[in-house]
């Protein structure tokens, strides 16, 4: 499906769409990417996508852009990474340039204020969907549970133990920076998963 110049253009269009409608940050963009790349087109597997999401969250920079770059590189190499990153960023650049041009008139419009008021709960809901998807794929093993019917197969023990320890450290050890927890998660993933 994604071969040649047309495939590269199609991938650009997908990330342009994601960049255009992902209001609310990287996890919202990740939800869109998961729906389009995994569910709709099957470009990458669900497991691969969530591994890419974990790496994108661990690296410096915006999650959505990191994930777009990673997906592009995975499918088309460095050229794909540049194209998908450009596709992800271009809508924001266009919108910001338009807003800057008409900013004074734009912010006072009641319709614009109402739109932003309506976007707040929708964005929160999309972030919760992304959080639930990450939780389901990392902590719960729904596929193994469906196959065996055993409750013991539902929870992925290693990930759950690490998650509980990381939360305990974040809540009770006040002098540790969260970046060390993220780094520990990356090391854990490489060594144990």
């Amino acid at each position: 499906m994604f071969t040649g110049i047309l495939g590269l253009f199609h991938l650009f269009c997908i990330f342009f769409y994601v960049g255009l409608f992902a209001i609310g940050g990287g996890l919202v963009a990740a939800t869109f990417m998961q729906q389009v790349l995994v569910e709709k087109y099957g470009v990458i597997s669900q497991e691969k996508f969530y591994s890419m999401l974990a790496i994108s969250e661990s690296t410096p920079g915006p999650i959505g852009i990191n994930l777009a770059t990673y997906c592009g590189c995975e499918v088309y190499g460095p050229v794909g990474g540049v194209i998908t990153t450009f596709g992800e960023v271009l809508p924001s650049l266009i919108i910001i340039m338009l807003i800057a041009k008409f900013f004074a008139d734009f912010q006072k419009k009641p319709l614009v204020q109402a739109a932003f008021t309506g976007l707040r709960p929708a964005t929160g809901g999309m972030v919760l969907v992304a959080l639930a998807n990450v939780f389901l794929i990392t902590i719960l093993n729904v596929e193994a549970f469906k196959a065996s019917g055993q409750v013991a197969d539902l929870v992925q023990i290693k990930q759950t133990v690490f998650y509980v320890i990381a939360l305990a450290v974040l809540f009770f050890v006040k002098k540790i920076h969260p970046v060390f927890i993220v780094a520990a998660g990356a090391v854990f993933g490489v060594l144990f998963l």
Side-chain angles (χ1 to χ4, degrees), residues 81-100:
V82 170
I83 294 296
T84 55
T85 302
F86 184 65
E88 174 82 12
V89 172
L90 185 59
S92 297
L93 292 174
I94 293 169
I95 290 168
I96 287 171
M97 288 170 37
L98 288 172
I99 289 173

Side-chain angles (χ1 to χ4, degrees), residues 16-107:
F16 186 87
Y17 163 78
V18 169
L20 186 61
F21 291 106
I23 298 170
L27 288 177
V28 174
T31 302
F32 276 139
M33 286 182 211
Q34 188 263 339
Q35 290 171 347
V36 174
L37 295 172
V38 176
E39 295 173 9
K40 187 171 184 180
Y41 293 111
V43 177
I44 52 177
S45 69
Q46 181 107 340
E47 292 77 23
K48 181 72 172 173
F49 178 80
Y50 284 110
S51 294
M52 293 166 71
L53 179 61
I55 291 169
S56 298
E57 286 179 336
S58 301
T59 55
I63 297 167
I65 294 172
N66 290 350
L67 190 55
T69 306
Y70 193 178
C71 288
C73 286
E74 189 70 25
V75 177
Y76 271 105
V79 171
V82 170
I83 294 296
T84 55
T85 302
F86 184 65
E88 174 82 12
V89 172
L90 185 59
S92 297
L93 292 174
I94 293 169
I95 290 168
I96 287 171
M97 288 170 37
L98 288 172
I99 289 173
K101 184 167 177 66
F102 304 108
F103 183 70
D105 296 330
F106 186 75
Q107 75 178 20

